[in-house]
Amino acid sequence: MADAESQTLETMEPNPMWDEESYEDAVESLSEDGLVFKVWGGDWCGDCRGQLPDFGAALDAAGVPEENVHHYPVEKEDDGSKVGPKVEEYGIELIPTVVVERDGEEVARFVEEEDAPIAVHLADRLGS
């Protein structure tokens, strides 16, 4: 059985139509050495299907090594709560959620309802 660290979200497959030139500052911030991206989502989730392919493309453009991007596939219970790897540990209630860590410490977080694309929101939090 694959552990959570080796599972993948199809929705993180980079969007080939994503325009890197429009997001140069965000790509530069995401390319910082030592950042680890933890992504909770579900391939069944409309918000994830809408937002994660562009984020995957941004990480790709930033040259983030695959081993620094951890996918955590989430399922939804009948009551709407989310279940999956590290959901309780990180307090995941809405997806997609992306947590950025540096040296094991959380330095930025994107939660589904933010009003900016994932890459832009995280770059702002990282101080681009």
Side-chain angles (χ1 to χ4, degrees), residues 18-113:
W18 189 75
D19 179 18
E20 178 181 346
E21 290 177 11
S22 296
Y23 297 96
E24 283 182 25
D25 292 344
V27 167
E28 186 176 327
S29 291
L30 298 177
S31 68
E32 182 183 324
D33 283 343
L35 295 180
V36 174
F37 299 86
K38 298 187 174 191
V39 182
W40 284 264
D43 293 332
W44 51 267
C45 166
D47 288 322
C48 297
R49 287 194 309 269
Q51 298 178 57
L52 290 178
D54 286 353
F55 183 58
L59 292 177
D60 203 40
V64 175
E66 233 176 86
E67 62 269 16
N68 287 10
V69 182
H70 301 216
H71 298 205
Y72 299 104
V74 173
E75 295 298 329
K76 184 164 70 169
E77 293 292 300
D78 290 340
D79 65 1
S81 64
K82 307 301 185 290
V83 294
K86 301 192 180 191
V87 163
E88 288 185 26
E89 180 181 339
Y90 281 85
I92 306 303
E93 294 179 9
L94 300 172
I95 57 173
T97 292
V98 179
V99 173
V100 184
E101 294 181 346
R102 182 187 298 116
D103 300 323
E105 296 291 319
E106 183 174 327
V107 293
R109 182 181 285 234
F110 171 92
V111 179
E112 172 201 358
E113 74 262 358

